Amino acid sequence: MDLGLKGKRALVTGASAGLGLAAAEALAGEGAALVINSRSEENLKKAASIMQSKTGHKPDFIAGDLSIQGRAEEIARKAIALLGGIDILVSNAGGPPAGKFPQHDRETWDKATTLTLHSAIDLTRALLSGMKERGWGRIIYITSVAVRQPIDNLIISNTLRAGLTGFAKSLSNEMAAFGITVNTVLPGYTDTDRLKVLARTNAEVSGQDIDAIYSGWTSSIPAGRVGRPEELAALIAFLASEKASYITGTAIPVDGGIVKALL
């Protein structure tokens, strides 16, 4: 299936590894021009090399920490300058720290809010006018199944990702008339470095070993395994495409069936 992405220009944040890198690879594989972002220039160089070997396309990259106020707008401006405009935004950011409510002070909440919520909003604000002028745009936020079913020991993530989902739904209603779709994708337990960190944290809290933590997760997933980043990336590529022009305002889980809600 030709997704109609040849010649489209995309910015993917948090893209030096894991879900962000997989999303960037999927878009590049469909012929989109890419700018990728993460904190580390060294990691971005490695990611760009990996993408080139897999897809034949070498992306541009911009190092920048989205947890710093004002950095999102700067990254967006640089991406526009590199590609002449951005048609597709895939907003992804590293997860906030794990822990229960008493463990997090105001400073921790403020930094996590900038990273998880404000950076996505600021990127959107910086890119939206160009999409409206062209009458075409795709905005996709990577959040978490936590917005449907909160995850224990992740109170900051549960709170902020739910807020971003509300923003996305509201924005989708405002932007549909301009040919711009806005959707969120909700990964469940997926084989990334973030999941490994969460497993270690949970093991320390519970006194279990890491294998037991993984076994607990997989036993609760109807598919019987954790996900692969490329499975989420395939959905992102479709939502970014011409084929998905009538899909907007959705929050789609990619979770092996772990969320028990009907809707």
Side-chain angles (χ1 to χ4, degrees):
M1 180 186 294
D2 182 0
L3 294 181
L5 289 174
K6 292 180 178 64
K8 298 299 185 184
R9 301 158 296 185
L11 168 63
V12 184
T13 62
S16 63
L19 300 176
L21 177 56
E25 288 174 351
L27 293 171
E30 293 293 329
L34 264 293
V35 174
I36 58 174
N37 153 263
S38 79
R39 293 185 183 95
S40 167
E41 185 167 345
E42 181 180 351
N43 290 343
L44 284 168
K45 288 178 180 178
K46 292 177 183 176
S49 178
I50 291 169
M51 282 183 60
Q52 185 174 26
S53 66
K54 286 185 176 181
T55 69
H57 298 276
K58 187 172 184 179
D60 291 301
F61 58 83
I62 302 166
D65 186 346
L66 291 171
S67 69
I68 299 173
Q69 187 173 351
R71 198 57 52 87
E73 296 98 322
E74 178 185 330
I75 290 164
R77 287 195 299 270
K78 289 181 177 179
I80 291 169
L82 283 168
L83 297 184
I86 295 294
D87 307 299
I88 300 163
L89 168 64
V90 180
S91 174
N92 177 50
K100 299 184 184 300
F101 180 66
Q103 296 173 256
H104 303 303
D105 59 16
R106 174 60 185 266
E107 183 179 356
T108 302
W109 276 93
D110 285 347
K111 186 170 183 178
T113 301
T114 299
L115 174 63
T116 305
L117 181 60
H118 287 305
S119 72
I121 294 171
D122 292 344
L123 286 165
T124 302
R125 183 184 295 109
L127 298 175
L128 206 52
S129 61
M131 293 180 183
K132 289 172 72 174
E133 288 172 7
R134 292 185 292 275
W136 198 97
R138 299 288 184 267
I139 299 172
I140 301 159
Y141 303 109
I142 300 178
T143 62
S144 166
V145 292
V147 306
R148 294 281 184 88
Q149 186 168 290
I151 298 172
D152 290 344
N153 207 44
L154 287 179
I155 190 168
I156 297 181
S157 181
N158 295 339
T159 303
L160 298 177
R161 295 193 192 284
L164 180 56
T165 303
F167 168 76
K169 181 63 176 178
S170 300
L171 184 67
S172 72
N173 294 333
E174 296 180 13
M175 291 298 115
F178 297 97
I180 300 167
T181 67
V182 184
N183 294 286
T184 60
V185 293
L186 285 53
Y189 293 105
T190 308
D191 186 17
T192 62
D193 289 342
R194 165 71 171 171
L195 191 66
K196 294 178 177 67
V197 170
L198 185 58
R200 288 196 299 270
T201 301
N202 287 2
E204 291 168 3
V205 170
S206 67
Q208 296 177 293
D209 62 33
I210 289 177
D211 288 342
I213 297 295
Y214 271 93
S215 294
W217 287 336
T218 55
S219 67
S220 68
I221 300 170
R225 63 175 177 84
V226 299
R228 298 186 294 271
E230 58 267 27
E231 292 172 315
L232 183 79
L235 173 62
I236 290 171
F238 177 72
L239 290 175
S241 74
E242 292 282 3
K243 306 293 185 184
S245 59
Y246 204 57
I247 301 173
T248 193
T250 64
I252 305 176
V254 182
D255 65 353
I258 196 171
V259 171
K260 302 303 187 287
L262 291 176
L263 298 173

